[in-house]
Every structure is written in structure tokens, then in C-alpha cells.
Amino acid sequence: MTAPVHTTCPYCGVGCGVVVQSDETIKADAVHPSNRGRLCSKGAALGATLDDSTRLTVPMVHGQATSWDDALDLVAERFRETIAMHGPDSVAFYVSGQCLTEDYYVANKLMKGFIGSANIDTNSRLCMASSVAGHVRAFGEDVVPGVYQDWEEADLVVLVGSNAAWCHPVLHQRLQAARVAQGTKVVVLDPRRTATAEAADLHVPLAPGSDVALFNGLLAYLHRAGKVDTAWVERHTTGLAEALKAASSSPGMTRDETQLESIAAECGIDPEALETFFDMFARTERVMTVFSQGVNQSSTGTDKVNAIINCHLATGRIGRPGTGPFSVTGQPNAMGGREVGGLANQLAAHMRFNDPFDRAALQAFWQSPTLAPAPGLKAVDLFDAVLDGRVKALWIVATNPAASMPRADRVRAALSACPFVVVSDCWPTDTSTLAHVVLPAAGWGEKDGTVTNSERRISRQRAFRSAPGQARPDWWQFAEVGRRMGWPDAFAWQTPAAVFREHAALSGHANGGKRVFDISAMKDVDDAGYEAMQPFRWPLPAGASSEGGRLFAQGGFPTPDGRARFVPTRYQEPPRAGKQGLLLNTGRVRDQWHTMTRTGLAPSLMSHTPEPVLTIHPTDAAAAGIEQGALTRVSTAEGEVLLRADLRHTQRHGEVFAPMHWTDQFASTGPIGRVVGAKPDPVSGQPELKATAATVTPALVHFHGLLLRRAGGPLPDICHWVRVPVTEGQLYRLAGLRPMPAGDDLTRFAAALLDLPAGTDWLEVSDVRRGMLRVAAVVDGALEACLFLARDAASLPNEAAISPMLGAPVPDSARAKILAGRMYDATAAEGPKVCTCFGVTRDAIRHAVATHRLGTVKEIGVLLHAGTNCGSCIPELEEILRDVRMPAE
């Protein structure tokens, strides 16, 4: 690569453009319409993740390296034999929003059009399925009406179940800039006081599961206040009367349910705050409601989506600048997967299973021997079918369900019992360890294709480096298996551009304006045009002169009569808490992504949240006898995990929060999915991930420890551990759940943790009375590993002080300092990094604020640069200012 390559970030659904230089340094694309030169902390650290040292590089069958031909022949043979013996529904694919649209298209065509089953589902089922279902029920098609510009043109933005400051920080910064420029008001509806809530004008901490009650109440309030746009409603919608009736008769409400006090009580919020929100919504014409996983990841998620949409339909606030419901996606290509039918209940190009015309048109276009007759198994049901033997062959691509699915132990049992499991991935994962065949996949920066972001904008991902070893793109793997199963002509593409052309052509096939999704203007793009393709937003039908914009301001919904549907949503009783009155909520943290296969490679991204913690309100912690930092046992009906407690008043009383990212590769306790229930939404099939009944108790810890070593990977099962990548290796935080060994047993214990070659000498100092052991191993004059154990955690050295020692030259004069945990005289202990983009620590910020008497975030940025890039840390900077700011004299 010589010239810079313009590509798209592989993380969230914002779809930011990035530019890769010839030396693989990465910066934001200043002209990409999604991010306009900004990147979040994860995007800014992409260069640090281009590490091939742990990649999958050769096909493996039963743990042995083999050729691509042998591996693909085996996959095709086993799938073909299984179908012949048990029928097409005995096989399944489970794919991912990390797949490019071209990957998705080939997989969907193979499964639904040629194998003849709809058993292809995606991890998007866990994040966006309820939005899809809500869109289809209201609009007739899975369509987001608005565009990113609406975030800047709205006078009021309502964020529901969305911690955009951490999960979609570039969009959040666009919103914050609008607040400064034009006074945009921001309301956050979220049980937790998140970083997004800290930056809002009003935070409404509604109880988990009460969204429908709140938005039903808002619909009734708008009707009573005369804010229904009657003329627009009569021209472009049906069903308002039924929706109002459902809103006023929701179970669990009192007879005066439309009164603010009743709704506030049901939602667990202050009536005054609720009235303030209702009044702001009613009197603001340009209002936009942004929703994400807090709405979708619910057993009533689809009703939540429709309750929100109902309020916008009633007021006609949709499709005009600064208005409308806006579902912001969690993955880089969740939208692209939906375009090609990547969900089990969809056909390609937004065609419908229940429309005979669509089915006939699709089969004719594909010239396929069959077509799946009905929707297939959704994610939760799919893995249940694997467990009970209905699905006997499963191909998993670019996702890690053994960690990310709820009831993760049940999923692992299913994979262990399945006769044939194939995994295509870039890195070893909790899931790949359970596969019979592991196929090395080309990753970000190594393959070409397209992705679609949350505003319907299609952008190119371009290759700028060679895939390691024999890794190959996912679309190629599926096409090769399709050819080997007997359909060479249908899977004859040689390039991703050819796949894209077919996808674009299908979008316009038998369409004629029936479906909004249409990019048929791109169906004849040649390879050079595909390579040079600029970002564009659909719809872009054949003959279109400009990209698609806002939709539905003048109606034109893709329903038989062209009208949107109000959907009656009846409030259902929220999930019940455990015996302690606690509900477990799960979600993301700022600098990590999914199961950390990529972000876990970058030490800078581990510095903000080095290990998974259980956030709990101090009152709840006190009732359970849990102190700050204490190792805590979290138990549910599904199992238990161990997490350190983080006591915060910003956490809602009666609810605890745990991050979703850590896996067996990073913590001995494994993924939080082990303890999360899986009750699905009856419409979308999306499981409840935000409200699992839980109990918490302090775990008995006999000793504490820190381990530094050059070698990575999980530790033996001899203590609780969390792995934290550092610059020259790995740091492990240890907790002994059994008494510390003594004598020779302690030596063997230390050796197992250090994992050194036989015969390696080490330095050691111990104190039996104090329960202390310190060990260091020097190999070729540099520190290879060191271990510190103590009964009292306060006796351990500071992590920030010892981490730089790893891999450093060790003169004889410094050996004692290693065992003391302070090889260098300078103090490295500066606390966790708040600003990952510029590596600014909490202690450095606190010192600067106090020393230089800083009073604003801008002043911090001028001095330290913190908060001047992605802005994700701004809420924490404001918190530090509040804590440290000197009182007025």
C-alpha cells in the first residue's frame, strides 16, 4: 500500500470513515459524512489491534491443520449428508453484524435459496431485532426514517436506553455541539445515571421495563393537550383510536392511569420530572427520539419501540428536519445484514415470507431449486434446537455465542453436544474451542465489501493489508461450500464487487416502489466503480439523481394502503427482582467492544476499565455486606459469576450493572452471559438482557495477588484471575478462594502461574508469618515474569508502578527493587486513564485542576488535550471538576 486507503471503522453502527496511511497509522476521515473527522477511543486505537500474533491462520479439523480443499470438502459433505438424512431444517448458520454485506448476502442465499431452510440468524438478534419488528409493524418495512443531521437540527433530543456518550460517542459529540450552537435540549430516559445522562438537561431514571407505561402515558398526554396532528394522522395513518384505548387500559395501571402521579409511580420516578418531560415533548415541534439497547434488549422490546413510534405518528413528527424516531444500531453492519435477509424471519431485499409475490420473485431471481417456506429459528430457539438435537450441523461466523449469548453455559452444552460445528473467525474464542472445524477468516483491513450504518448510509470497507497465513473472506468460504454442495453456477462470483452487483440488482427486482430499500442504481457498477464508491444513503433506485434522505414526511409508507399503523401497546408487568430486590442489567463499557477479540489487543483500551466490575448502589451494597472493591458473587437462576464491586450513587437502587465483554480468555469467571436469563420478546425473539433477577453476596478471599508475565492466555484453575494486557505482556489480578498454599505446594502454585520454561531460575522472598510471597524471573537479562502474593491487598505493589518493569533490562543492582515492586525511582502510579485518546490519567487531571485552578472542560483540554478528540471522557472530566474544584474564597 502506498496511497492512503479510505475505509470504514469496524465497531459501532455510526459507520465512521477512517484513513489508513502507508505505515498503517489510522486517522479519522475528515470528509466522511458520518464522523466529519472525529473518532472515538476505540477507532483511534485501531492501529494497535493490527497484531497477527494470535490470529487463526490455517484451517483446522479436530485440532489438526489441514488444507482449504479438505476442510471445505468436509463442511460441504457433512452439511449435505445431514440434510439428506434429517431434512434442511437440521442445519443452521449463525452469523454476525461484523460480517460485510457481501458475506451476509452469500450466506443468506445459500441457506434460504438453495439449502431451503431459513435457519440463518445473526447476533443482531441480540441488539436490533425489536427495532426491526417495531419498524415493520408501524411502517410496513424495516426503515429508519431519519438521518444523522436530525441530531443537530432537533430542538429536543430524547435518548431512551442509549448511553450514546460511551456507545456512539461521535454522534453524541455532534449532539453536544448542537447544544452549544443552538441550545438543543437533551432528555435521557435510563435507569442508570450514565455519562450520557450527566451531559443531559434532564435525566428521568425510569424503572427497568416501564418504558411502555411511560410512552403510553405520553401518548395520552399528547391527546389531552391537543397536540395530535389530526390532519396528518387522518391522511397517513390508521389505528390511533385503538392505540389510545390500549394506552388508557394498560394492566397494572390505576383507573386514573392517565394522571401523571399514577404513571410516575409505575415508572418509579418523580412526578415532577415526568411532567417536565411530557411538557417538553408536547411543546417542542422538532423532537427526535433516539433509542438503542435499553429498549431493544427486553422481553417487551417491540412494544417499547412501537410505543415510541406511536407518539411520533400522533404528532406527525416524522420525516421532517429534526424529527422522528431513530433506532441507533450497535454493530457496524447490523443494517446491512437486515437488507439481505440475515435474520431468520426475513427474506432478502426486505421481501416478505408471507407475500407469495415476493417469494416467487426471489426464487425466480436466484433461479434456486427451492426457497425456505417459512421463517427459521431465532437465536435463542436456534441454540435450544442444537441442544435437543433438532439442529445437527451448525456454522458460526464472526461471532462468539459461547460468551455473548444469554444462558451461555446452556449454549456451550449445545455446541458440545452438536455432531458438527464449524467456526469461521479471526482469533481463537470461547466458541472456536468447541468446534470440529475452525476456518481462518480475513478480518478488518484485509477484505473488501460494504457496510450500512444507522442512517442507511452504505460505505466501503477496503483492504489495506494482506490477511495472515491462509485466512480468507467469509463470502468466499460460503461460496466455495455452495459450489461443493452442487450449485456452482449460483455461487460463481470471483470478487465481492460481483456479489454487490447481484445484491443491488435484487433490491430493484419486482420492486416498482413497493419496497423502500432499493439500491438498483448501483447494479451495473463495474469493479473500478466499486473500488472508488463513495458513501451513499438509500433508497437509491435506478435512475435516481441523488441519495436518499428523510422518509415519510408526506406519508408514502410501504404498506398496502400507504398508511402507517399505530400499534396498540399494553403495558405488561416488568421482570420481578430476586429475593434481595435486585435486577441484573448488562451492557457495554466505554473502551471495549463485544467479546474483546479486537479491543483486548490494545493495552490503551484496557486502562479505563481494566476488569469487569459490578456497579451497585451503596445502599444495596451495605444491605448485602459488600464493600468497595470486594470480590462479589452474583447468583441467578442460570448460575453465578465473581465480580469486584464498584459502589456508585449513579446506579439505580435495586439494580446492579455488569459489562458484557469479558470472556474465558480474560477472566476465570467467564462471561456475564452465564448468569443472564433468555426470556424472548414474543414478536422479535430478542432476549431480555437488562433485567435478570439476581442476588449478591461477598466472596471469601484468602489472599490477593498480582502476576506479570510476557506470555498471555488463561491461567490454570487454581484461583480467581482477571487478565489485563499491558505494553510488554499481561498483568493478572489474582484472588485466592482457598487458603494460600505453603511450603512445596506454594512453590508449585507459583510455578503454575509463572509458566516458565523448565530450569528457569527465579528470585524469591517470602514471609510465612505475614502470608507474603514475591518472585521474579529474569531471562536473558530482562524481566520475564514476576508474582506478588499477600493476605492483605494493601501489601501488594502498585500496578502502574510494576507494569513498566516487564521486559525491561534488569541490572544486578535492580534485582532487589523488582521484588520490592519499584524497579524505577519515579512514581508511575497515576491511576486509571480517563482520556484514552491521549493517555491522560485521572490523577494527572486532578492534579492539573487543583494546581492550575482549572474551571472548565475546555481549560483541561487546552492544558492536557483530554476531551478534545472523541469526547467520550467529557462527563468524567466534569465529574473531576466537581470533585476537585476549589471553593470560592
Side-chain angles (χ1 to χ4, degrees), residues 293 417 499 760 765 771:
Q293 314 304 20
V499 180
T760 302
V765 60

mmCIF file with all atom_site columns, all heavy atoms in Angstrom, residues 293 417 499 760 765 771:
data_model
loop_
_atom_site.group_PDB
_atom_site.id
_atom_site.type_symbol
_atom_site.label_atom_id
_atom_site.label_alt_id
_atom_site.label_comp_id
_atom_site.label_asym_id
_atom_site.label_entity_id
_atom_site.label_seq_id
_atom_site.pdbx_PDB_ins_code
_atom_site.Cartn_x
_atom_site.Cartn_y
_atom_site.Cartn_z
_atom_site.occupancy
_atom_site.B_iso_or_equiv
_atom_site.pdbx_formal_charge
_atom_site.auth_seq_id
_atom_site.auth_comp_id
_atom_site.auth_asym_id
_atom_site.auth_atom_id
_atom_site.pdbx_PDB_model_num
ATOM 1  N N   . GLN A 1 293 ? -30.105 -0.149  22.901 1.00 0.00 ? 293 GLN A N   1
ATOM 2  C CA  . GLN A 1 293 ? -30.239 -1.469  23.525 1.00 0.00 ? 293 GLN A CA  1
ATOM 3  C C   . GLN A 1 293 ? -31.094 -1.484  24.776 1.00 0.00 ? 293 GLN A C   1
ATOM 4  O O   . GLN A 1 293 ? -31.686 -2.512  25.111 1.00 0.00 ? 293 GLN A O   1
ATOM 5  C CB  . GLN A 1 293 ? -28.852 -2.035  23.851 1.00 0.00 ? 293 GLN A CB  1
ATOM 6  C CG  . GLN A 1 293 ? -27.822 -1.922  22.751 1.00 0.00 ? 293 GLN A CG  1
ATOM 7  C CD  . GLN A 1 293 ? -28.218 -2.552  21.448 1.00 0.00 ? 293 GLN A CD  1
ATOM 8  O OE1 . GLN A 1 293 ? -29.398 -2.778  21.181 1.00 0.00 ? 293 GLN A OE1 1
ATOM 9  N NE2 . GLN A 1 293 ? -27.258 -2.827  20.592 1.00 0.00 ? 293 GLN A NE2 1
ATOM 10 N N   . ALA A 1 417 ? -22.671 -30.795 22.390 1.00 0.00 ? 417 ALA A N   1
ATOM 11 C CA  . ALA A 1 417 ? -23.496 -31.945 22.007 1.00 0.00 ? 417 ALA A CA  1
ATOM 12 C C   . ALA A 1 417 ? -23.736 -32.027 20.504 1.00 0.00 ? 417 ALA A C   1
ATOM 13 O O   . ALA A 1 417 ? -24.151 -33.082 20.005 1.00 0.00 ? 417 ALA A O   1
ATOM 14 C CB  . ALA A 1 417 ? -24.855 -31.861 22.727 1.00 0.00 ? 417 ALA A CB  1
ATOM 15 N N   . VAL A 1 499 ? -20.645 -9.838  -6.088 1.00 0.00 ? 499 VAL A N   1
ATOM 16 C CA  . VAL A 1 499 ? -21.704 -10.116 -5.114 1.00 0.00 ? 499 VAL A CA  1
ATOM 17 C C   . VAL A 1 499 ? -22.538 -8.860  -4.884 1.00 0.00 ? 499 VAL A C   1
ATOM 18 O O   . VAL A 1 499 ? -23.781 -8.904  -4.861 1.00 0.00 ? 499 VAL A O   1
ATOM 19 C CB  . VAL A 1 499 ? -21.109 -10.610 -3.782 1.00 0.00 ? 499 VAL A CB  1
ATOM 20 C CG1 . VAL A 1 499 ? -22.228 -10.887 -2.775 1.00 0.00 ? 499 VAL A CG1 1
ATOM 21 C CG2 . VAL A 1 499 ? -20.260 -11.858 -3.984 1.00 0.00 ? 499 VAL A CG2 1
ATOM 22 N N   . THR A 1 760 ? 14.280  -22.530 34.539 1.00 0.00 ? 760 THR A N   1
ATOM 23 C CA  . THR A 1 760 ? 14.427  -21.084 34.695 1.00 0.00 ? 760 THR A CA  1
ATOM 24 C C   . THR A 1 760 ? 14.638  -20.741 36.166 1.00 0.00 ? 760 THR A C   1
ATOM 25 O O   . THR A 1 760 ? 13.895  -21.196 37.035 1.00 0.00 ? 760 THR A O   1
ATOM 26 C CB  . THR A 1 760 ? 13.184  -20.350 34.167 1.00 0.00 ? 760 THR A CB  1
ATOM 27 O OG1 . THR A 1 760 ? 12.995  -20.680 32.800 1.00 0.00 ? 760 THR A OG1 1
ATOM 28 C CG2 . THR A 1 760 ? 13.348  -18.847 34.306 1.00 0.00 ? 760 THR A CG2 1
ATOM 29 N N   . VAL A 1 765 ? 11.437  -13.965 47.611 1.00 0.00 ? 765 VAL A N   1
ATOM 30 C CA  . VAL A 1 765 ? 11.442  -13.579 49.009 1.00 0.00 ? 765 VAL A CA  1
ATOM 31 C C   . VAL A 1 765 ? 10.075  -13.913 49.570 1.00 0.00 ? 765 VAL A C   1
ATOM 32 O O   . VAL A 1 765 ? 9.051   -13.708 48.912 1.00 0.00 ? 765 VAL A O   1
ATOM 33 C CB  . VAL A 1 765 ? 11.767  -12.076 49.190 1.00 0.00 ? 765 VAL A CB  1
ATOM 34 C CG1 . VAL A 1 765 ? 10.749  -11.199 48.495 1.00 0.00 ? 765 VAL A CG1 1
ATOM 35 C CG2 . VAL A 1 765 ? 11.858  -11.725 50.669 1.00 0.00 ? 765 VAL A CG2 1
ATOM 36 N N   . GLY A 1 771 ? 2.174   -13.967 55.449 1.00 0.00 ? 771 GLY A N   1
ATOM 37 C CA  . GLY A 1 771 ? 1.472   -14.521 54.300 1.00 0.00 ? 771 GLY A CA  1
ATOM 38 C C   . GLY A 1 771 ? 1.844   -13.805 53.022 1.00 0.00 ? 771 GLY A C   1
ATOM 39 O O   . GLY A 1 771 ? 0.976   -13.390 52.245 1.00 0.00 ? 771 GLY A O   1
#
